[in-house]
Amino acid sequence: MTEAGIWFGVDYYPEHWPKSQWKADVKLISEAGFNVVRLAEFAWCRIEPSPGRFDFSWLDEIIGELAEKGIKAILGTPTAAPPPWLVKLHPDILPMSYQGHRMPPVARRHYCPNNPNYLRATERVVKALAEHYKDEPNVIGYQIDNELSLGDEYCYCEHCVQLFREWLERKYGDIDELNKAYGTIFWSHEYGDWTEIHPPTPPFDRCNRGLALDWLRFRSESFIKFLELQVGIIRSVSPDKKITTNLMGLFPGIDYYELSRLLDFPSWDCYPKFRHVDYDPAWVAMLHDATRCMGRDRSYWVMELQAGPTDGYHGHPIGVTPEPGELRKWAYQAIAHGADGVIYFRWRTACFGKEQYWHGILNHDGEVNRRYLEVKRLGEELEKVKDLVAGTKYRSNVGLVFSYEALWSTLIEEGYYTMSYHDQVLSLYKGFWLHGINVDVISPNEDFMRYNVLLTPFLYLTNRSLITRLKKFVYNGGILIATARTSVKDEYNRVHSDGLPGGLMDLFGMKVTDYTCLPAERRASILMEGRVIQAVGWLEELTPSSAQVLGVHDYEWLKGRAAVTVNRYGEGYAVYVGSFPSSDIANHIVKVLIKRGIIKPLVRVEGDHLELTVREGSHYRVVFLINHEGRDKSVKLYFAKAFRIKGLLKGGTSHGDKHEYELELGPHDAEILYLEE
Ligand code: GAL
Ligand code: ZN
């Protein structure tokens, strides 16, 4: 979807405002430079006011008004909010708790994705929507549902239970195979037939590990199938319309990498300052990098970008208001990571309903305000840079593996671990982010051969195919870096019985022979190349067979034992760090990779709280530079080669003989540098 260069827009709810307001809204929307608007994702009760009776007149009208200003529409399929008449007609669409209570239909997302009545109602409304707009050029595509699986309880209705049993039967074929895979002899759980199986209930740490993991897989697949139903309808009616859905970063409910295979491109909802006053911009960056890599061709959108203070948290009635510059900066951050579209949530703040304080660009009064003027300025800037930027791609030689299966396996465990799976992935990611090195955050099913360096932090669970592919990657010359608790579990969520890292001892040329958890109040370090590096969370004693020792523990009874090893395997190297990745460890890894010339950064930036990414075009590159602090900054950049440089937003230039570039950034400011050799 590059016809706009960069899609720039806002989520708009015409159904929340009198019609007399629409023209004025559309005028301001257009004057801000927006070229796309998302509509109707919660408007089922207006689209189908009673069973089978459809009314698109109001939607046609607003799409027409927008089209007059050259603004396109993305339509939400409205299935995240089943209307009251549907609940009345089919109360069984409501998800059911294990105790047999139906979820009350008081908010949204009150449906079971496996309920046949819900599937029929979904088919009918999606088909009607797709049919109605199939020849409407101003509708460019669809967002399926809204934040699939958010906040839903696990549904234990008869359909879910029955389908889960069938799912297990298809997977294991024979009940004895399932018994073996799960180890159901533990606590006398051996099943005689499929109907004896009950889905596990939270907290899952008291349940059989294999059963709990299969339940999470089944639930993820249920939502993917629900999405697939809608995708199928839209594709058969209007194959030329684009299909996406709005994800939530690396939210655990659904394997987003699997889901995204069905989409033309994924998108996500980005609220940096929701609840977190001092949010970490590296976390936001990582979610951009993950969502991009979920996309089949590495293109993605932000479907909802924070546009004002969010609603309350911890006793505060509303969230912190974004400071001047932050709205603009967040959009540039998305584009810096490869987004083709950025849409703010929402246009004007609602005066009624649930989200009265989840602010849009405009406040409740609808007047032009500071935030509007900021996005309008951004709109003008994007108009100038869009062609150059759209001609480039975010590329990386470094792949960081995020495994939903490993995540789920850790979520099922007791006490979770000192650091969560997300934290550990972030910690390693951040080492690269701080050095301004592009990273792809990929699924374990990705083709590893496109990378030089593969990072697999806390890859707690593996399967046979992943083990083979990791070995192949290294054998063919790749550099693999793993951290503590790698391949502890097999695909049935059982601990490997033949030593750790399970199935990978030959790859790493060592065995984990002892370990301890490291509570936060205990300090430990690793001694490596004359340096003291802080360890966190977990320590492992590594006993090498063929590996070389790179670092040793400096901790009580583990003192002097191997903590970091490297093994030559085929043409490549497999590095193992016997601790969770502290920021110190992450930083050290990056420095060593740079020193050895394994990664070659194009540019180095001096200063704190700066983010840098590179997008590559055919004969030029663009460098994005973002100031994540609310104060002025003088910045110096050092380039690996001499470039002719032009500042696209601020207008500075340098000539071909220079390796350095200096500029001033204001609070939360951004610059895009155009580079030609
Ligand atoms: C998103 C959601 C929107 C709106 C927003 C503010 O998660 O998709 O519909 O609810 O948050 O709460
Ligand atoms: Zn159900």
Side-chain angles (χ1 to χ4, degrees), residues 112 155 157 160:
C112 161
C155 181
C157 77
C160 286

Side-chain angles (χ1 to χ4, degrees), residues 95-96 112-115 155-161:
M96 184 183 268
C112 161
N114 289 319
N115 178 279
C155 181
Y156 297 90
C157 77
E158 52 175 322
H159 304 288
C160 286
V161 173

Side-chain angles (χ1 to χ4, degrees), residues 13 38 41-42 108 146-147 150 246 248 269 271 304 311 345 355 358:
Y13 299 89
R38 183 192 65 179
E41 82 281 10
F42 295 116
R108 58 179 173 179
N146 190 84
E147 299 189 333
L150 170 68
N246 54 340
M248 295 168 284
D269 297 347
Y271 293 95
E304 298 182 11
D311 66 14
F345 182 90
E355 294 176 346
W358 199 290

Side-chain angles (χ1 to χ4, degrees), residues 24 44 93 164 219 222 379 382 396 587 606 650:
W44 195 337
I93 69 165
F164 181 49
R219 183 172 181 275
S222 296
L382 289 179
S396 174
N587 182 35
E606 219 160 68
K650 297 179 174 297

